[in-house]
Amino acid sequence: MMDRFTVVICVLLVSCICRTLGQTCEGNCGTKLDLCSCHSTCTSLGNCCTDYREYCVETLPHSGSILGGTDFIVLNATFNNSSEIVCRFHDNIKTEGYVDETSRGHCISPLLYETGWVPLSISSDNGTTFNRTGAWLSVHTGKLDAKFKAILVNSTKWQYYGTTDVRGNLEMTWNTSLVRAERVNIELWGYRETGEPYTDSWLGEWAYLYSLAKDQPNSGSFSFLPKPAENGFSSWELGSLRISPSIYPDGMWNVQAAWTDDHALAWHLEEKFRQNSTVWALDKCVAWNQLENELPNFLSELIDCPCTLAQARADTGRFHTDYGCDIEKGSVCTYHPGCVHCVRAIQASPMYASGQQCCYDNTGAQVLTADSNGGSSPDRAHHWGSPPFKKPPRIPGDSHWVYDVLSFYYCCLWSDNCHFYFKLRPSSDCRRYKSPSSAVVFGDPHFITFDGVSYSFNGFGEYTLVTSFAKGLTIQGRTEPVNGTVKATQLTSVAMQETPYDIIEVRLVSGHNGLEVLQNQKTLSFSEQSWMDLHGVYVFSPTSSNVTVMFSSGVGVEVRLREGTMTTTVLLPEEFIDTTMGLLGKMNGDPKDDLALTNGELVQNRTNPEEVFNFGAGWAISNQSALFTYDSEYLLDTFLYAPRHDASFLPVFSIPENPNDPLANQTSEICSGPGSQFCRYDILLGRSPRMGNASKISYQSHISLEEDLKPVISCGWFSPPSNGKKEGTTYLQGAKVNLFCNEGFTLTGPSVRVCQWDGMWSGGDTNCVVRRRRKLCGSHYE
């Protein structure tokens, strides 16, 4: 009781001293001062300066549409009725805020041409000083939860409006709480890009076009009968509808609003489109085709697609689900009929910021545009945009619409001329695709290296899992005792970085019932969005037990929570061959050199647990190299101010064989099949049936992942012979393609071609030649 009283007195004393000596967070957010802290860790350490929350602000919500219009509260900061709030994003985009009836400050998010965290500063004196700082998360409209935007009812009707037999009213709905007003305006905003592509004059522009309705009740729905736009506005073919308070003038920027998804504005195109949409669209398609032929070829720098659906879903460091065709959400693949799932390359190509898309059918085979209009197609502009954003072709969503989607409407949806589109957007096959290598840490910790060596290491401390000096990659793991009585440990945190980008840490929360993600020592909340664009890294966390980290090099780190224990899988592309060291070994295909000390010496006897233990202890990190966050007295005392490997902690090295063990029967019941050895280890040593079961599942998941990532041989797309056709659209080893000729032609060469182990098609050339006519009696021919 006395100790707690002393702590309280000390905190109050420090607070008074900070105030007296001018230790303030104004202008110092993110900094640790001499007597108090303005760093994000101060709240858990209890050493914040007294004005920390006043100047280092949080917001609610903390994220919103890239199109802007989100009204958010500035938490904890003090305002009054005379405060004149101005909110500044970056250093140059300002919006007008306000103080509500409860004296809380509000900001309105602006239209941005980028996604990710944007620096935020707030003024309460009409922009004279901006002394409060924070950050705002700008979100791609396609990744924004539906509850934060207006919805186009029957989107297919909007998509085809004005084409043959598609007429009538269009309807949209929205959550009325998104717009704090009794009456609203419905406005159309358009997007276009101007200037010469790939020059400094190339710019993207959102602009107010006209209002569909004014001073309407904020009822949450609006229906209208579209008509061709007047005053030349029909030349704007891409846009979004905005619902905003009717108190504002038409087209006023950066007011509270709800937006629809950006979409093709078929419903307001000129009368010529309605009279004959096919001819109108063909003209547009041909014009696009001519423009594309004048632009640089971006296809050669794209990554190849994975050969199979299993590979595409397993290679999480380089590919992620395309939300427009997701097997987890019923495979509603509007643009890719015949497919069940598509993925997109996460990273844009280096020079042209282009994107790769890969789609698969229900057999797991890749669908190619050369065989089907539902095939996957590459993109001149990556759908999700790419850093540094702000200018074409890197503007998220919109650049992709201009160069890749509208053209698909012209050539494929509004007319039947897909051959134009697919000639310039052909599917990538998978002949150059190389699967990543995987390694895993799970349970009481068990390790399986990139080259397949498995061992257990029960050290207590912080260690290097993977390091690659050549690639600037470091992944570290923290282990802690399973409990106070068992001489066994488990993984509790993983910290990682690809220099010079953000440090990401994923750790168990107190109680081991969830995972917490930190960016540069600041906790990230995934309560609003499951995907975040960070600096040089992306993080996806659909649930509190599932986190995937994706680096710009294509490295993927999957962290999963099972039965209160962490499983961490690392996926490395082939570029990391011969560059890695650490507890997960050298990735070079040779298991004999995986257990190497920091000086390069190899463990002589991998079956000796004491020798393996000493090997693991040798990979303890230093204070200088540590990537972890130490935001509690326990973490400071246990790791930062102590040796990173606790030499006093000696685990039990062998499984006790005791038939009278009360856990013996459970062990026999749970631990069967693949992974049973790890399961037994964790139950009998860790004294935890839950951990044992989780370890068995983690091992089996790893084996399944390895199976999914197995290399396959592709012979590439097979072209049917001229004047003939083929049956078969699978091009992997063992696949057969049957060949036929059209009427009046004869087949020469093999009628069946088989994809062989060497990536070549069997047999010689197959051709269809004009059938020779035989002369019969008289002048008749056969």
Side-chain angles (χ1 to χ4, degrees):
M1 185 70 179
M2 190 65 182
D3 288 343
R4 171 181 271 180
F5 179 74
T6 304
V7 169
V8 171
I9 292 298
C10 288
V11 169
L12 292 174
L13 182 60
V14 168
S15 298
C16 291
I17 293 173
C18 290
R19 282 180 177 274
T20 303
L21 298 182
Q23 296 268 283
T24 175
C25 287
E26 185 176 6
N28 290 314
C29 291
T31 304
K32 296 177 182 178
L33 305 179
D34 294 335
L35 296 175
C36 58
S37 176
C38 303
H39 192 271
S40 57
T41 57
C42 75
T43 53
S44 53
L45 289 171
N47 63 348
C48 295
C49 298
T50 53
D51 57 5
Y52 171 71
R53 293 186 180 276
E54 181 70 35
Y55 292 108
C56 307
V57 300
E58 302 286 339
T59 69
L60 182 71
H62 62 258
S63 64
S65 169
I66 187 175
L67 296 174
T70 302
D71 183 326
F72 60 88
I73 301 168
V74 182
L75 299 174
N76 301 311
T78 304
F79 300 96
N80 55 52
N81 292 334
S82 63
S83 298
E84 297 179 85
I85 296 179
V86 177
C87 310
R88 186 174 66 188
F89 300 78
H90 284 302
D91 291 324
N92 58 343
I93 305 172
K94 297 177 182 178
T95 67
E96 183 179 328
Y98 66 94
V99 179
D100 67 20
E101 60 277 5
T102 62
S103 298
R104 297 183 304 180
H106 289 245
C107 289
I108 306 297
S109 68
L111 167 67
L112 296 163
Y113 291 87
E114 63 182 305
T115 55
W117 289 101
V118 175
L120 167 68
S121 54
I122 299 169
S123 168
S124 58
D125 56 11
N126 200 29
T128 303
T129 57
F130 288 87
N131 53 5
R132 296 176 176 88
T133 60
W136 173 254
L137 182 62
S138 173
V139 182
H140 186 297
T141 56
K143 295 178 180 177
L144 192 69
D145 193 292
K147 64 186 177 185
F148 295 117
K149 53 189 175 184
I151 304 300
L152 303 177
V153 178
N154 189 356
S155 59
T156 302
K157 186 175 180 180
W158 288 76
Q159 178 178 300
Y160 284 99
Y161 198 94
T163 61
T164 305
D165 297 329
V166 183
R167 298 291 191 273
N169 280 17
L170 293 176
E171 183 183 0
M172 56 189 290
T173 61
W174 64 92
N175 185 330
T176 57
S177 66
L178 295 175
V179 184
R180 288 161 48 101
E182 292 185 1
R183 306 193 74 80
V184 296
N185 295 340
I186 314 295
E187 301 174 342
L188 176 63
W189 289 63
Y191 178 83
R192 66 183 175 187
E193 293 184 355
T194 58
E196 184 179 348
Y198 304 106
T199 69
D200 290 340
S201 68
W202 198 11
L203 299 172
E205 173 195 13
W206 274 98
Y208 166 76
L209 302 184
Y210 56 86
S211 294
L212 289 175
K214 298 182 181 181
D215 202 32
Q216 295 287 305
N218 185 9
S219 62
S221 68
F222 175 69
S223 176
F224 69 105
L225 182 65
K227 61 181 182 179
E230 299 175 349
N231 303 320
F233 287 128
S234 64
S235 64
W236 294 74
E237 298 169 7
L238 171 65
S240 175
L241 290 166
R242 188 181 85 164
I243 302 97
S244 58
S246 58
I247 60 173
Y248 297 114
D250 293 347
M252 184 172 177
W253 288 86
N254 303 327
V255 300
Q256 186 188 19
W259 295 81
T260 66
D261 278 332
D262 30 16
H263 60 281
L265 303 178
W267 51 271
H268 96 148
L269 295 179
E270 60 182 328
E271 184 63 36
K272 287 182 180 179
F273 176 76
R274 298 191 180 195
Q275 291 172 355
N276 195 328
S277 58
T278 301
V279 171
W280 186 96
L282 175 59
D283 290 342
K284 289 283 187 176
C285 177
V286 171
W288 169 79
N289 182 76
Q290 292 171 344
L291 172 63
E292 272 290 313
N293 282 310
E294 297 171 2
L295 298 178
N297 186 335
F298 65 91
L299 298 175
S300 60
E301 67 170 355
L302 292 177
I303 183 176
D304 259 19
C305 284
C307 291
T308 66
L309 175 59
Q311 286 179 336
R313 300 188 72 191
D315 191 351
T316 53
R318 293 183 290 183
F319 295 91
H320 188 75
T321 296
D322 180 346
Y323 300 111
C325 184
D326 184 357
I327 198 170
E328 298 288 340
K329 295 182 178 178
S331 299
V332 181
C333 304
T334 304
Y335 298 130
H336 301 282
C339 297
V340 298
H341 193 71
C342 295
V343 296
R344 292 188 181 274
I346 295 166
Q347 305 295 333
S349 65
M351 181 178 295
Y352 296 114
S354 303
Q356 182 62 284
Q357 183 195 51
C358 314
C359 295
Y360 303 86
D361 64 19
N362 58 9
T363 70
Q366 189 185 0
V367 180
L368 305 179
T369 52
D371 295 321
S372 166
N373 287 353
S376 51
S377 57
D379 302 316
R380 179 169 291 281
H382 197 296
H383 183 24
W384 302 332
S386 60
F389 304 109
K390 298 181 182 179
K391 291 185 63 177
R394 299 179 181 274
I395 295 176
D398 299 321
S399 290
H400 171 62
W401 261 102
V402 169
Y403 281 89
D404 303 296
V405 185
L406 284 177
S407 48
F408 184 78
Y409 277 67
Y410 301 151
C411 301
C412 298
L413 297 186
W414 294 340
S415 74
D416 188 15
N417 295 283
C418 272
H419 58 282
F420 282 108
Y421 187 82
F422 291 136
K423 180 181 178 182
L424 298 173
R425 297 289 188 272
S427 297
S428 160
D429 65 23
C430 66
R431 282 175 290 179
R432 294 179 300 158
Y433 174 76
K434 302 292 183 184
S435 296
S437 297
S438 65
V440 66
V441 187
F442 61 97
D444 181 10
H446 310 294
F447 297 75
I448 301 178
T449 69
F450 294 106
D451 295 336
V453 174
S454 62
Y455 67 94
S456 298
F457 168 59
N458 262 298
F460 176 13
E462 295 175 343
Y463 308 93
T464 297
L465 300 180
V466 181
T467 184
S468 172
F469 297 111
K471 300 294 184 180
L473 174 70
T474 301
I475 304 175
Q476 300 171 347
R478 174 188 292 152
T479 59
E480 300 179 63
V482 173
N483 57 47
T485 60
V486 175
K487 288 293 186 179
T489 58
Q490 64 177 330
L491 192 68
T492 58
S493 184
V494 180
M496 60 205 89
Q497 182 187 30
E498 243 180 21
T499 54
Y501 302 116
D502 286 343
I503 297 172
I504 303 298
E505 182 177 356
V506 184
R507 65 188 185 185
L508 285 172
V509 300
S510 177
H512 294 192
N513 58 355
L515 298 172
E516 181 180 40
V517 182
L518 297 94
Q519 171 202 21
N520 301 328
Q521 303 188 352
K522 181 178 176 65
T523 301
L524 296 174
S525 170
F526 288 86
S527 60
E528 295 174 11
Q529 313 298 335
S530 60
W531 175 283
M532 287 191 192
D533 299 350
L534 306 178
H535 182 47
V537 60
Y538 302 91
V539 180
F540 177 62
S541 181
T543 69
S544 62
S545 60
N546 182 328
V547 177
T548 301
V549 183
M550 298 147 277
F551 291 100
S552 57
S553 65
V555 170
V557 180
E558 300 176 353
V559 184
R560 304 291 183 261
L561 179 64
R562 295 189 179 102
E563 301 285 359
T565 65
M566 283 176 64
T567 295
T568 298
T569 300
V570 180
L571 297 150
L572 297 185
E574 64 170 342
E575 291 82 4
F576 282 79
I577 290 175
D578 285 325
T579 72
T580 68
M581 296 183 71
L583 294 182
L584 292 177
K586 294 183 178 180
M587 191 181 94
N588 60 4
D590 181 7
K592 294 192 296 295
D593 64 3
D594 270 13
L595 303 194
L597 303 174
T598 53
N599 61 8
E601 292 184 14
L602 300 179
V603 171
Q604 297 301 307
N605 183 2
R606 296 198 312 223
T607 63
N608 184 325
E610 286 87 353
E611 191 172 347
V612 171
F613 182 79
N614 291 331
F615 149 76
W619 280 103
I621 65 175
S622 64
N623 273 1
Q624 293 74 26
S625 65
L627 302 177
F628 293 99
T629 302
Y630 305 96
D631 55 355
S632 70
E633 293 298 330
Y634 166 76
L635 292 175
L636 290 170
D637 294 341
T638 307
F639 299 103
L640 187 64
Y641 303 148
R644 294 309 175 102
H645 170 73
D646 187 345
S648 67
F649 184 89
L650 291 176
V652 178
F653 290 116
S654 59
I655 300 176
E657 297 294 341
N658 179 6
N660 296 319
D661 189 318
L663 294 178
N665 288 337
Q666 273 187 283
T667 302
S668 298
E669 292 172 5
I670 297 173
C671 303
S672 60
S676 59
Q677 70 274 33
F678 304 112
C679 176
R680 284 176 50 78
Y681 189 100
D682 291 357
I683 294 179
L684 297 177
L685 273 183
R687 313 306 295 169
S688 173
R690 291 180 66 209
M691 182 185 290
N693 187 55
S695 289
K696 183 178 77 168
I697 294 171
S698 293
Y699 174 79
Q700 291 172 352
S701 295
H702 180 69
I703 296 304
S704 178
L705 175 68
E706 291 277 278
E707 185 65 28
D708 289 342
L709 289 173
K710 272 187 178 178
V712 297
I713 303 298
S714 171
C715 294
W717 179 72
F718 192 93
S719 173
S722 296
N723 302 306
K725 54 182 180 282
K726 67 175 183 179
E727 284 183 357
T729 55
T730 303
Y731 309 113
L732 305 182
Q733 183 179 355
K736 295 180 181 180
V737 175
N738 297 306
L739 304 172
F740 307 91
C741 289
N742 297 336
E743 185 68 29
F745 293 85
T746 300
L747 191 75
T748 64
S751 62
V752 178
R753 305 286 292 275
V754 180
C755 181
Q756 302 176 116
W757 63 271
D758 58 358
M760 303 294 291
W761 289 100
S762 65
D765 290 341
T766 302
N767 296 290
C768 292
V769 298
V770 177
R771 184 179 300 162
R772 296 182 62 184
R773 295 183 295 175
R774 293 184 298 164
K775 188 172 182 180
L776 301 176
C777 295
S779 301
H780 298 284
Y781 288 84
E782 177 185 59

